[in-house]
Amino acid sequence: MPDNGLLVQMILGALLGLSVYLPMAAGQLSLATPAFYAVGGTLAALMATHADHQGTISLGAVLWEMVVAGALTAALATLVGLPVLRLRGIYLAIATIALVEIVRVAILNLPFTGGATGIFGIPQPFHHPLGYITLSGGLLALCGWAFQRLETSRLGRAMAAIRDDELATRCMGINTTRVKLSAFVASAVLAGVTGVIAAHYLNTWNARQGSFDVAITTLAFVILGGSRSWLGPVIGGLLLTALPELLRPVGDLRLVLFGLVILLGPVFFPQGLITPALLEKLGRWKLRRLKP
Amino acid sequence: MLRSGGLNTGSSDLLSARRRGSVRLAGAVAVAITGLAVLGRNSDPAGKPLPAAVTLGAAIALTGNANLYGQDQRVGLELAQRWFASTPHPRPVRLELEDGASDEPSAIAAFNLLIGRGVIALIGPTLSQQAFAADPIAQRQGVPVVAPSNTAQGIPQIGSFISRVSAQSSVIAPLSLDEALERDPQISRVAVFFAQDDAYSTAETAIFQKALAERGLTPVSVQRTQLADNDFQNPITAALQQKPQLVVISAQAVDGGNLIRQLRELGYRGQIVVGNGLNTPNIYPICQRWCDGVLIAQAYSPDLNTPINQTFRRLFQDANGNRTPGQITAQAWTAYQVLFEALQRLQKRGEMDGVTLGEARRRLMQEVLAGHYDTPLGPIHFRADGEVVQGRFYVAEVTMEANGRHGSFRLVRSFDVDSDAGGPTP
Amino acid sequence: MSAALLQILLNGAASGGVYALVALGYTLIFSVLGVINFAQGALFSLGGYLTFLLMGGRIGVNGALPGWHLPVALPFWMALLLAAIGAGVVALLVERVAFAPLRRRGADPLLSLITSLGAGVVLVNLLQILMGAEGYAFPAGAAALEGLPEALLIGGARIRTVQVVLLLISAGAVAALTVWLERSRTGQAMRAVAEDPTAARLMGIHSGAIVRLAFLLSGMLAGLGGGLIGLSVSLAGPYFGISFGLKGLAVLVLGGLGSVPGAIAGGLLMGLAEALIPSAASGWRDALAFAVLFAVLVLRPSGLLGRRLQEKV
């Protein structure tokens, strides 16, 4: 039985999974999510601790941090995305891992981010984890609505076309650079905004929060959940975040089992848990069949 | 993973079925999240009556990069639990160990889990960064925390329920410098090394450097290293070009041990003073015979000649062959001892009868802060804000056997100090 | 040449040699499969622990079998060789479990990023359960270099003897590998598969066997590296190989993915670049490696010595 705190972490995992999924929906394997997550978290930590809040902070102030974090990460992503998005496949993946490491070292070394200890005593907008569930769950619902609409929008169709065949899409007269950049920027904004919530939830923020490990874990959310539908990363993020906690009863073996799940998951479910075929089946399922 | 696999080939019927399926699944996820949120809402058992056997919860790093410390802490906690269970006591106490791993979300999860299971107090987490994440949660729910190994500035100030038995190095660090300067008063050139991504080492090096300045010494070289480093050829050769006569290191066991070994191998013959992060027998296999002669400031000395420390040392050796226990293990024992003794005092006064768990937690915290304890670390008590006041600190010299595999911290001198007031008095 | 400059060169070569060794392990697999094996760091750790056990080292108190040891006590060099073979065999196992099933089904090769990472997590945590988290020194580690001084003084610059030995062995292994790839029939077949798998198949080269060979060799390189690092800096817990893995990745790209001479040049260059950082800025050292990587990727995506960029999406 997951408690409310774990549920918050699960939802944050789902949001990060969606952030990795966005560029992938346009055929780009970008692992830059933790870099923007770290930028968002650091920004929130700085803004919230610099004003004198006496341990609590209004929800409005947190929402304002989310707006600023969104703007900052969007600007950064545009700056970085233009040169980086010319790379493909594994090259893009490695370039974005490099970005994650550069941001991590910068947060560790900059004079105002608290060094190794990080920033602590981040004030709380809520007295109970239920507040965080509402905030992050609300953001997740908003994302779900947007992603569902995206699939039928022009941008979404262009993304899918690039994923299928970038060259052909360019020949059709679609500005592929702009489409890829849009997906990259949206992914960065989502990661940055998630970082703001995470910083408040974690009470503290430091350079370790956005690391190579996070890049791989969030990629695993998408791969195991399924990369063909936005629900894949959501369900992958929810389940994989909970898994190490649910495996606690096995004691020392729990990380071995976690590793086995990541190892064998793609082998047995190469398309992830949520496949288009599964969604079609669900869509055709008539409720009245249940009646005797 | 990157190709969509024929999204565009599907007929419109397929596509609409897929979209309908997405909406249904999304709805199911939303219902599930809401359901879990509602079900998990009342996980805090603070309002329930205190059970007969109270439980202490420990969340320590048994996996991840900090697990070296966590394993040592587990040994200390389990020894303490067995020992105090065998002494006469009116209230039975159980110990529940959970893996707090080495990252912040896991520490929070372990704290939440243990609080939800109704523990009366918490021991942990292992790293200071984790404490800044998890301690506020215990504070909000009014659960006492005794930190066995958090040494960063500001931990007890997180709140009224947070305390620690791990003294900061502000008092001890200068003592080992004085010892080195007494051995060689001619020292004028000092090189400083510290692990810049470690919260403890960065705080400690500031203290070392301030103490050096107070003694009229300016470092000729300051080198920053990383915890994960193991090859120190670059910083060492850079520092040795300045011909230092004393090297001061703030690091943890593995990186610091390698640093010492490589300093010696590269020809440095002067004195080495290391900080409290290296105060563990775990350095022996890393720096081997090259550890010999290193001066170290200690918050715990296995040579302390008190009944409780001899008991602790004997139990440790019975369980672990002929090794001597380290500071991390002793501090974990002490955290358990503090909570255990405070609980039994309350029980004897009848203040644990007929109260709710929440009230028992509040009383326990007050009692922890009010008491004086005779521990393997020496006599300790607490300041009102939860900071430990430790009465005795030590300077030791590492002495290795000729084969370089076994060694010991030979006590050079101990200082009776009031770590609250400052000035040490040898 | 001034002593200070020579010192920087020596420092760069010492750490660069190790980087090249790690990167070469990645390179072999990348050249034939176009993917990265994230279990490489774990195989590095494994090589170190195997060497330790084969030398007769005892498991510490935190391990699953405290005090247990193999009934043998081999000299370092023999233990190192056997450990390298052992790590190679485990690499074959990783291929079997994490790579082969995906290839058989024609799944996206990038899925193996995740499966190989899973294999690495399993390996490291099994090591921790078996060996505990404590550090280990090789039981007779010093005897391996018996009679040699601890450090060599070369033109006023200093370097630890063990690092010179490490560099020489790495260089020897790399040279042997290069010659073998160039000259032997199997080596040529491996290069043919790397160039064009389809054409190689038409020429009757069994690519499955070549892939397994690449894994065996890269596992052996990792095992060798782990054992040597263990001699140089002790075994610092089961996670010690992982930190080499990430740096090796940067070197891999710097030299050009899949290029053997590139991996060596990239390793040495990275070592040199790090040695040139002034101590005041040493906190930024790890950022430098990745900033260089980032710049190389953006300006010259094929790496310094890599082949023309191929589309491997």
Side-chain angles (χ1 to χ4, degrees), chain A residues 2-292:
Chain A
D3 61 81
N4 275 348
L6 180 56
L7 198 55
V8 178
Q9 294 183 7
M10 287 162 64
I11 298 173
L12 294 177
L15 288 167
L16 290 181
L18 279 177
S19 164
V20 181
Y21 167 80
L22 257 171
M24 206 182 277
Q28 310 302 307
L29 178 58
S30 158
L31 297 178
T33 291
F36 298 112
Y37 175 65
V39 168
T42 307
L43 183 83
L46 286 172
M47 286 175 72
T49 50
H50 271 226
D52 185 23
H53 288 294
Q54 308 283 332
T56 56
I57 188 171
S58 70
L59 184 58
V62 176
L63 292 175
W64 172 239
E65 286 164 18
M66 289 163 79
V67 170
V68 177
L72 180 65
T73 46
L76 278 176
T78 313
L79 219 62
V80 175
L82 278 173
V84 162
L85 287 171
R86 293 185 307 165
L87 301 168
R88 316 235 157 118
I90 198 80
Y91 296 88
L92 176 62
I94 294 175
T96 47
I97 288 176
L99 183 69
V100 170
E101 281 296 297
I102 293 168
V103 168
R104 184 186 68 84
V105 175
I107 293 176
L108 191 59
N109 281 281
L110 286 173
F112 51 85
T113 46
T117 310
I119 301 162
F120 55 89
I122 299 177
Q124 294 300 309
F126 310 112
H127 291 297
H128 193 272
L130 218 48
Y132 282 104
I133 292 178
T134 316
L135 180 61
S136 55
L139 182 60
L140 184 61
L142 188 71
C143 286
W145 174 79
F147 273 89
Q148 192 68 18
R149 288 196 50 127
L150 182 72
E151 277 179 12
T152 47
S153 74
R154 243 176 50 152
L155 180 63
R157 284 203 304 270
M159 284 164 65
I162 294 177
R163 193 183 198 183
D164 262 356
D165 189 337
E166 181 165 356
L167 201 64
T169 314
R170 210 178 307 147
C171 293
M172 280 154 56
I174 292 175
N175 184 346
T176 54
T177 309
R178 210 162 74 195
V179 174
K180 289 194 287 183
L181 192 63
S182 309
F184 188 70
V185 170
S187 151
V189 169
L190 182 52
V193 170
T194 308
V196 172
I197 305 180
H200 285 279
Y201 174 72
L202 290 177
N203 303 297
T204 178
W205 196 263
N206 54 49
R208 305 191 305 159
Q209 300 311 316
S211 67
F212 172 68
D213 296 355
V214 182
I216 299 299
T217 323
T218 46
L219 178 61
F221 295 167
V222 185
I223 302 298
L224 281 177
S227 60
R228 307 283 173 82
S229 151
W230 65 271
L231 277 157
V234 168
I235 288 178
L238 291 171
L239 291 183
L240 273 190
T241 313
L243 189 63
E245 293 303 318
L246 301 180
L247 284 175
R248 275 185 185 278
V250 299
D252 286 348
L253 274 174
R254 86 187 170 112
L255 282 188
V256 175
L257 286 184
F258 181 67
L260 279 177
V261 169
I262 323 186
L263 167 60
L264 298 177
V267 172
F268 289 111
F269 304 95
Q271 298 200 322
L273 291 173
I274 309 300
T275 60
L278 178 79
L279 291 176
E280 282 153 23
K281 217 169 169 182
L282 265 177
R284 291 225 183 83
W285 197 36
K286 298 281 190 305
L287 289 172
R288 65 183 114 83
R289 269 198 211 154
L290 284 176
K291 289 175 188 161

Side-chain angles (χ1 to χ4, degrees), chain C residues 113-140:
Chain C
L113 289 183
I114 298 299
T115 52
S116 63
L117 183 89
V121 171
V122 171
L123 267 178
V124 165
N125 283 286
L126 281 178
L127 270 180
Q128 178 173 328
I129 290 173
L130 180 67
M131 303 294 296
E134 57 248 68
Y136 289 101
F138 290 155

Side-chain angles (χ1 to χ4, degrees), chain B residues 1-3 62 64 67-68 196 223-224 229-231 233-234 237 254 258 261 265-266 285-286 289-290, chain C residues 7 11 61 108 110 128 133-135 137 150-151 158 160 163 231-234 236 239 279 282-283 285 313:
Chain B
M1 164 160 74
L2 291 181
R3 293 196 191 95
L62 300 177
N67 71 66
L68 186 57
Q196 66 136 11
Q223 300 289 332
R224 293 167 173 79
D229 283 354
N230 42 45
D231 177 9
Q233 174 90 10
N234 286 332
T237 50
V254 170
N258 268 318
R261 167 184 175 177
E265 285 188 327
L266 285 167
I286 309 290
R289 64 194 155 91
W290 297 277
Chain C
Q7 184 74 62
N11 292 357
V61 287
D108 192 313
L110 292 177
Q128 178 173 328
E134 57 248 68
E150 287 174 347
R158 264 173 212 284
R160 294 161 64 218
Q163 283 194 304
L231 182 68
S232 167
V233 299
S234 311
Y239 291 82
S279 27
S282 53
R285 192 197 60 209
V313 179

Side-chain angles (χ1 to χ4, degrees), chain B residues 77-426:
Chain B
L77 290 171
E78 288 176 349
L79 286 178
Q81 201 251 339
R82 251 176 287 148
W83 167 251
F84 288 105
S86 71
T87 61
H89 57 280
R91 186 97 190 194
V93 177
R94 299 193 306 127
L95 172 68
E96 260 191 59
L97 272 178
E98 276 299 335
D99 179 14
S102 308
D103 57 322
E104 289 75 2
S106 297
I108 289 183
F111 264 37
N112 275 329
L113 188 72
L114 289 165
I115 293 172
R117 281 194 203 147
V119 300
I120 191 167
L122 288 159
I123 297 171
T126 300
L127 298 174
S128 291
Q129 289 106 322
Q130 292 181 298
F132 286 125
D135 285 355
I137 287 172
Q139 173 66 26
R140 269 171 246 151
Q141 306 207 41
V143 184
V145 176
V146 178
S149 57
N150 304 150
T151 43
Q153 196 96 42
I155 297 273
Q157 289 73 30
I158 292 172
S160 54
F161 280 88
I162 315 297
S163 65
R164 64 172 157 200
V165 296
S166 41
Q168 280 194 292
S169 49
S170 48
V171 188
I172 34 177
L175 304 178
S176 48
L177 282 182
D178 286 337
E179 178 67 27
L181 290 172
E182 203 177 296
R183 291 182 179 198
D184 182 4
Q186 305 302 316
I187 288 174
S188 61
R189 304 179 69 81
V190 186
V192 174
F193 289 77
F194 71 96
Q196 66 136 11
D197 58 342
D198 177 38
Y200 178 73
S201 298
T202 46
E204 190 187 63
T205 198
I207 293 153
F208 267 132
Q209 293 187 39
K210 182 162 160 274
L212 284 171
E214 284 164 6
R215 287 154 182 79
L217 296 164
T218 324
V220 291
S221 173
V222 176
Q223 300 289 332
R224 293 167 173 79
T225 62
Q226 315 272 328
L227 282 181
D229 283 354
N230 42 45
D231 177 9
F232 297 96
Q233 174 90 10
N234 286 332
I236 290 174
T237 50
L240 291 190
Q241 274 165 11
Q242 304 299 323
K243 307 241 175 307
Q245 299 155 306
L246 171 66
V247 168
V248 179
I249 299 172
S250 292
Q252 297 293 343
V254 170
D255 56 325
N258 268 318
L259 184 51
I260 293 171
R261 167 184 175 177
Q262 292 170 30
L263 265 169
R264 291 301 189 208
E265 285 188 327
L266 285 167
Y268 175 69
R269 293 286 166 265
Q271 294 194 71
I272 299 178
V273 166
V274 301
N276 202 31
L278 282 104
N279 185 19
T280 155
N282 292 324
I283 65 168
Y284 304 148
I286 309 290
C287 56
Q288 303 161 50
R289 64 194 155 91
W290 297 277
C291 304
D292 204 63
V294 167
L295 286 175
I296 187 162
Q298 296 179 308
Y300 168 73
S301 168
D303 292 342
L304 176 66
N305 197 6
T306 62
I308 183 75
N309 188 44
Q310 281 169 345
T311 302
F312 167 61
R313 205 178 148 158
R314 178 172 50 78
L315 292 170
F316 184 88
Q317 288 183 332
D318 288 349
N320 297 293
N322 241 349
R323 301 195 317 157
T324 44
Q327 171 175 316
I328 299 278
T329 313
Q331 286 173 331
W333 165 296
T334 301
Y336 186 92
Q337 179 183 352
V338 162
L339 285 168
F340 182 89
E341 289 183 0
L343 259 169
Q344 303 307 335
R345 285 198 304 269
L346 282 176
Q347 181 65 31
K348 276 180 196 146
R349 295 203 303 267
E351 292 179 38
M352 279 287 171
D353 298 325
V355 293
T356 62
L357 177 60
E359 177 60 21
R361 285 169 172 169
R362 208 180 51 73
R363 290 186 183 178
L364 177 60
M365 191 65 221
Q366 284 179 344
E367 188 60 31
V368 162
L369 296 184
H372 282 69
Y373 308 85
D374 182 23
T375 73
L377 305 175
I380 63 167
H381 61 275
F382 294 91
R383 243 167 38 189
D385 65 354
E387 183 70 88
V388 66
V389 181
Q390 186 170 337
R392 201 170 288 158
F393 293 99
Y394 318 88
V395 173
E397 182 177 347
V398 181
T399 319
M400 298 300 292
E401 289 170 15
N403 67 10
R405 256 181 283 165
H406 302 288
S408 57
F409 292 105
R410 193 175 57 78
L411 187 60
V412 175
R413 64 179 67 189
S414 65
F415 299 81
D416 283 321
V417 294
D418 185 356
S419 68
D420 200 17
T425 49

Side-chain angles (χ1 to χ4, degrees), chain C residues 11-12 33 91 120 160 168 186 240 276:
Chain C
N11 292 357
L33 280 183
R160 294 161 64 218
L168 290 177
T186 331
F240 91 93
L276 280 169

